[in-house]
Amino acid sequence: MTVTQPPPHTTESTEAERIAADLRRLLPAWMRAQRWFAGKDRTLVEAEPVLVDVLRPGEPALVHTVVRTGPHDWYQLLVGVRAELPGHLAAAEIGPGTGSPGGRVLYDATADPELMDRLIELLGAERSDGVVEFHRTPGADIPAHLPARLLGAEQSNTSIAFGDRMIFKVLRHLVPGPSPELELLGALRRDGNVPSAAPLGWLRTAPGALGDEFTLGILQEFVPSRGDGWALAVEEAEACLTGECDTVSPLAGFTEESRALGRATAEVHAALAGRLGTKTLTAAGAGQLADVLGLRLDAALAEVPALLPFERRLRALYRDLAEVAGRGIDVQRVHGDLHLGQVLRAEHGWVLIDFEGEPGRPPEERRRPQPALRDVAAMLRSFDYAAHHALAEVLGAPPGEQPPRDPRGIRLARRASAWAVHNRRAFCTGYAEAGGADPRVRPVLLRAFEADKAVYEALYEARNRPEWVAIPLAAVRRLATWQRPVGQGPGPEHSGRPSKTSGSPQDEWDE
């Protein structure tokens, strides 16, 4: 899709033009330092404002901007403009502006409570007379003047909490088309039986503003919680590694929470299937699914040479997936990027959040029905990550910097792996208890999806944190080197619970 730059749409066109000129000058350096910018591995030579809309003129001003950094890369910024930047906003500075007699400063407006309150007022009023449209969910209460605070945990987007009532997610890397997250949150809201962060409103570009429709932000109910699953799991894993578990079994910490999380995940899958439907994957569809995994492997192999020894066996896993899935499995809409950081431990149980799908995947792939096991596999990988992140905390070094023959490190690494296995099993048990098919009875599919996720993780770590790439590489090695008994093909996969007699898929799946 080609987007040509439209003229700035604002009641103060001259001001918009000045701001656009300032952003062209300032953004190439500033954006590369932002966590949500996906192009850190390349030199950014251009950041072209293709949409500039002054949402609030005056002092301070609030300006909505979409910038293009490549043929198919659009990013959203909410820019504040002040004559002088107060100290509490210094870290949000983009840079000095030009063209004003007294001088001015441009900054990231998501850090400014005053301007974020103005944004919420526009959303509550359903402003629709500009190139940015504000929409309220029917019947939703959107109060203004709640204290706003910027949340710092996200990597790909930016979220602002408003008291303990609402949270607004600013989507940074924009993709055209309907929002998968709005679709899935709407389905859960209509179902009414699954706790979720209900959508209150959203922002999108007006028809024709950028050629296609872009969802820009989503306002949801705030979910009070004890914390996200990642922080809680890592804390419990550290306690178990250091012998401080509050359980009889030294490795049982967090397993009851993992079991409850499995139940919550199965309930979300059931609600999405009930509201949005399911279908049976055809042999052709199964082949296409395996082809997608193969293409992801191709991309990773080009950048992560350490994956090359496992290429042949990984491709065999994907062929097995195509054969088994081609016999007929159900597919449905799923979360798409499920991990421990995407769940909150609320007072009455776990709540899944952030349904936009895996960053970097094309929008049509995010919305495509998938086997529910894909979410399960992603969560199982997250337990492995939590265990080894806890190990790194205890040893005081990331995996790539840990002494390879240190006896204490070896002993604790075994405990970390055992903690992960305990919690993976508990998650699958809970998933089956809530009515989902026990994931362990489909070892071929589960291993293929886990391997795909580990390959994705290896590529991410190689690009961003090479000292952590040992975690996904160890998982790839384990998954790729598992051997079926001689003469046994993929075979029919089971339904129901794993057998408690010989040949249990669970034994093959854990290690």
Side-chain angles (χ1 to χ4, degrees):
M1 176 173 51
T2 301
V3 175
T4 57
Q5 182 183 354
H9 294 261
T10 174
T11 56
E12 300 189 11
S13 181
T14 302
E15 175 67 3
E17 291 167 359
R18 284 200 297 262
I19 291 170
D22 288 336
L23 292 174
R24 288 188 194 98
R25 173 175 51 87
L26 296 170
L27 288 181
W30 182 81
M31 286 182 66
R32 292 192 75 246
Q34 305 310 304
R35 295 177 68 185
W36 41 260
F37 180 59
K40 298 182 183 67
D41 57 337
R42 61 183 173 88
T43 301
L44 180 60
V45 297
E46 180 185 53
E48 179 62 34
V50 295
L51 184 153
V52 179
D53 188 8
V54 179
L55 300 178
R56 170 188 170 170
E59 174 70 21
L62 174 60
V63 183
H64 179 272
T65 306
V66 175
V67 298
R68 185 181 61 226
T69 63
H72 304 288
D73 284 319
W74 297 271
Y75 286 87
Q76 174 182 199
L77 283 76
L78 292 169
V79 178
V81 183
R82 287 178 180 263
E84 184 176 346
L85 203 60
H88 70 279
L89 295 176
E93 181 176 351
I94 296 174
T98 59
S100 176
R104 59 182 182 174
V105 181
L106 278 62
Y107 63 99
D108 185 350
T110 61
D112 190 337
E114 179 181 351
L115 291 182
M116 291 301 94
D117 183 53
R118 176 56 180 155
L119 191 73
I120 293 301
E121 288 182 333
L122 293 171
L123 188 51
E126 297 190 85
R127 174 190 183 267
S128 60
D129 58 350
V131 292
V132 177
E133 295 183 346
F134 296 75
H135 296 271
R136 178 207 296 258
T137 300
D141 179 28
I142 303 180
H145 311 309
L146 296 174
R149 67 183 188 280
L150 181 65
L151 304 179
E154 288 184 279
Q155 292 188 356
S156 55
N157 298 303
T158 302
S159 290
I160 304 98
F162 295 88
D164 61 356
R165 295 279 303 277
M166 306 181 298
I167 186 167
F168 181 68
K169 180 194 292 188
V170 179
L171 302 178
R172 292 298 194 172
H173 196 183
L174 302 178
V175 294
S179 164
E181 183 161 25
L182 276 176
E183 291 175 327
L184 299 185
L185 288 173
L188 295 178
R189 178 174 175 267
R190 293 192 300 274
D191 181 82
N193 294 316
V194 177
S196 64
L200 302 174
W202 66 95
L203 276 65
R204 70 179 183 190
T205 55
L210 287 176
D212 277 291
E213 174 190 323
F214 289 79
T215 300
L216 304 170
I218 300 173
L219 184 70
Q220 299 171 255
E221 291 179 347
F222 184 83
V223 179
S225 71
R226 287 168 35 197
D228 65 58
W230 174 259
L232 296 174
V234 170
E235 181 181 359
E236 287 287 346
E238 283 187 47
C240 288
L241 292 179
T242 56
E244 299 173 1
C245 274
D246 295 329
T247 57
V248 175
S249 168
L251 294 173
F254 205 65
T255 51
E256 283 306 308
E257 293 289 359
S258 299
R259 189 171 178 173
L261 179 55
R263 289 194 294 267
T265 303
E267 289 165 358
V268 166
H269 283 162
L272 293 178
R275 289 290 166 178
L276 300 177
T278 65
K279 62 180 183 180
T280 300
L281 194 66
T282 64
Q288 291 170 358
L289 176 59
D291 289 344
V292 169
L293 304 192
L295 291 173
R296 284 159 63 91
L297 177 59
D298 291 340
L301 288 168
E303 296 187 42
V304 190
L307 290 170
L308 287 169
F310 311 108
E311 178 183 4
R312 180 176 59 84
R313 288 180 174 174
L314 287 170
R315 295 195 189 280
L317 275 178
Y318 300 161
R319 287 195 298 271
D320 288 350
L321 176 142
E323 182 177 341
V324 170
R327 297 170 190 156
I329 61 169
D330 286 341
V331 293
Q332 63 167 89
R333 295 295 296 276
V334 298
H335 183 283
D337 188 28
L338 191 60
H339 55 77
L340 286 164
Q342 306 279 46
V343 296
L344 299 175
R345 184 57 170 88
E347 180 181 357
H348 299 296
W350 290 100
V351 177
L352 278 62
I353 59 173
D354 290 337
F355 285 80
E356 65 182 287
E358 190 176 278
R361 286 196 182 185
E364 63 273 12
E365 187 178 338
R366 298 189 200 187
R367 300 180 68 245
R368 185 178 300 145
Q370 303 278 349
L373 274 179
R374 200 159 191 176
D375 274 352
V376 172
M379 183 59 77
L380 298 183
R381 288 292 314 127
S382 194
F383 284 116
D384 185 51
Y385 249 91
H388 288 89
H389 195 281
L391 176 65
E393 292 291 324
V394 172
L395 295 178
E401 299 174 8
Q402 294 167 10
R405 295 181 178 85
D406 173 46
R408 177 172 177 263
I410 293 171
R411 175 173 54 84
L412 291 177
R414 289 172 178 163
R415 290 176 65 87
S417 295
W419 182 92
V421 168
H422 275 70
N423 283 277
R424 287 156 57 96
R425 287 175 175 170
F427 179 87
C428 290
T429 297
Y431 191 89
E433 287 173 344
D438 193 309
R440 292 164 291 191
V441 304
R442 288 193 175 274
V444 171
L445 299 181
L446 196 58
R447 281 184 177 275
F449 287 134
E450 275 202 80
D452 171 65
K453 191 67 176 180
V455 166
Y456 169 85
E457 293 162 356
L459 179 59
Y460 174 87
E461 299 295 21
R463 288 174 171 174
N464 298 280
R465 304 187 307 173
E467 68 276 16
W468 291 88
V469 75
I471 294 177
L473 286 179
V476 168
R477 183 181 301 110
R478 170 176 61 84
L479 292 160
T481 56
W482 171 69
Q483 296 282 350
R484 288 191 301 271
V486 176
Q488 178 183 316
E493 298 222 313
H494 307 274
S495 59
R497 296 181 182 277
S499 169
K500 297 184 181 299
T501 59
S502 62
S504 167
Q506 176 177 335
D507 300 328
E508 299 170 348
W509 163 78
D510 279 335
E511 290 296 339

